[in-house]
Amino acid sequence: MVAIVSTATKCGKCGPGYPSPLEAMKGPREELVYLPCIYRNTGIEAPDYLATVDVNPKSPQYSQVIHRLPMPNLKDELHHSGWNTCSSCFGDSTKSRTKLVLPSLISSRVYVVDVATEPRAPKLHKVIEPKEIHAKCDLGYLHTSHCLASGEVMISSLGDPKGNGKGGFVLLDGETFEVKGTWEQPGGAAPMGYDFWYQPRHNVMISTEWAAPNVLQDGFNPADVEAGLYGQRLHVWDWQRRERVQTLTMQDGLIPLEIRFLHNPAADQGFVGCALGSNIQRFYKNQGGTWSVEKVIQVPSKKVKGWILPEMPSLITDILLSLDDRFLYFSNWLHGDLRQYDISDPKRPRLVGQIFLGGSIVKGGPVQVLEDQELKCQPEPLVVKGKQVAGGPQMIQLSLDGTRLYVTTSLYSAWDKQFYPDLIREGSVMLQVDVDTVRGGLKLNPNFLVDFGKEPLGPALAHELRYPGGDCSSDIWL
């Protein structure tokens, strides 16, 4: 692989992305962001759509939605997205990053969007109907999409077509987008699924668990946690043999959602955010050659009044690693803060930046904090350009150079409706935070706000963020 990359670089004919994470940091500044906007559970009978946002400060349309691509169906619940190809194919000059793959969390449809012909006005390229995925894979409720070095696209599932838990993986041809079947061996799916990340140099892929679709899709019921219906395990897979070889049950690790290996392709460790456990766990290859996991950050719950439970977890919902593996970022969707940790020593992350961007414990809201191990008083509500922000920080994306974070505030429509009814009425927002990469520190950019409450068809719920050239949660290096 190294020889191919160096030759490709010299001759000027390279595949998509960058030869290494550190080279990616030198890439051009982002000018566009693509993000799915959801109308399911909002009371608005309109299809979800892909929004294109101008994030170039020199543009007259800076901080505005410049294009909307509606899907041809209602109530899909667009959620995450991935590429037809990425830096894992950098050495293949026949490949180019031209299509955004949008799996639907609820309908199980997959939309393939052409973003290359006109990057500022994407268009629909192909629709893969649920019945094809059901028939060929016996999977549904699709989540994470990653591009593979083989040229294929791999999408994780939360369940089977009936909504029972089933953590399998759909394989698509990266050129034709035909459904090829499952990645895993027949009968080899995990009991639950959600996110995944692979690291070929260690012949490993690790996947996470949310819950069975039938458990989570209509809202959160605390009794389901007591009944053991929410995930608490990591599944370790042999990358070449495509089978599960180890299951790690995490202490306090309820609802492990987003998982990230360090970007360095030689690294044998990474982090997972446990939402309900409100902690970050580090997974690593141990001396025996198998995998272990340990808790390295714990966000304490707050004792509260006026909420659905007497203790409020922070609910860590998204995590990111900077491309140089120096900083870990995560969002506490309920508490309302975004955090930056120095992970120079991955065993001992050090908090170096924190900012409150809304959340459930703001002053003047319905929740009163009775006991707080971290704060002396409840944070002020966030007002940007005259708009009070509903919800809390949720999906995050980092600029390639690590100096800007983009943030959206919607988690999943049914849970938004339950935990932040204002989000349904007001719509979500997209914010931008400046990052100090020398000393650490986070500062809101007061000139940037995309208010999805003012969309033409009514308030929408905007979710995951993608740049046209790839980013630190879409690209994997070999």
Side-chain angles (χ1 to χ4, degrees), residues 126-198:
K126 181 171 181 174
V127 181
I128 304 168
E129 290 296 340
K131 61 180 187 238
E132 189 179 355
I133 289 157
H134 293 167
K136 290 184 179 175
C137 305
D138 192 38
L139 295 172
Y141 302 89
L142 305 177
H143 191 267
T144 300
S145 172
H146 275 307
C147 26
L148 309 186
S150 61
E152 296 163 308
V153 172
M154 180 167 156
I155 305 173
S156 61
S157 77
L158 271 69
D160 68 11
K162 293 179 180 173
N164 304 304
K166 190 175 185 183
F169 304 89
V170 175
L171 264 190
L172 306 180
D173 183 287
E175 301 285 337
T176 64
F177 302 99
E178 288 301 310
V179 180
K180 298 178 77 170
T182 61
W183 172 84
E184 71 277 9
Q185 301 291 350
M192 293 183 200
Y194 184 72
D195 193 24
F196 70 101
W197 198 279
Y198 62 89

Side-chain angles (χ1 to χ4, degrees), residues 396-461:
I396 52 178
Q397 191 54 265
L398 186 65
S399 61
L400 295 177
D401 67 1
T403 63
R404 288 171 302 285
L405 274 167
Y406 294 92
V407 187
T408 56
T409 50
S410 160
L411 172 60
Y412 159 62
S413 65
W415 289 31
D416 291 352
K417 192 174 180 178
Q418 181 178 3
F419 290 104
Y420 288 114
D422 285 359
L423 260 183
I424 306 297
R425 291 191 296 272
E426 295 279 329
S428 65
V429 298
M430 175 176 165
L431 305 168
Q432 191 253 303
V433 172
D434 293 320
V435 180
D436 185 332
T437 57
V438 179
R439 292 175 301 278
L442 303 173
K443 186 167 177 261
L444 184 71
N445 175 356
N447 301 312
F448 188 99
L449 171 76
V450 185
D451 181 359
F452 290 95
K454 293 183 175 167
E455 286 296 271
L457 296 179
L461 303 169

Side-chain angles (χ1 to χ4, degrees), residues 78-94:
L78 296 181
H79 200 63
H80 285 217
S81 63
W83 294 105
N84 63 312
T85 185
C86 67
S87 295
S88 62
C89 287
F90 179 80
D92 184 348
S93 60
T94 67

Side-chain angles (χ1 to χ4, degrees), residues 3-20:
I4 295 171
V5 168
S6 59
T7 308
T9 309
K10 281 174 190 165
C11 72
K13 287 185 180 176
C14 310
Y18 302 90
S20 72

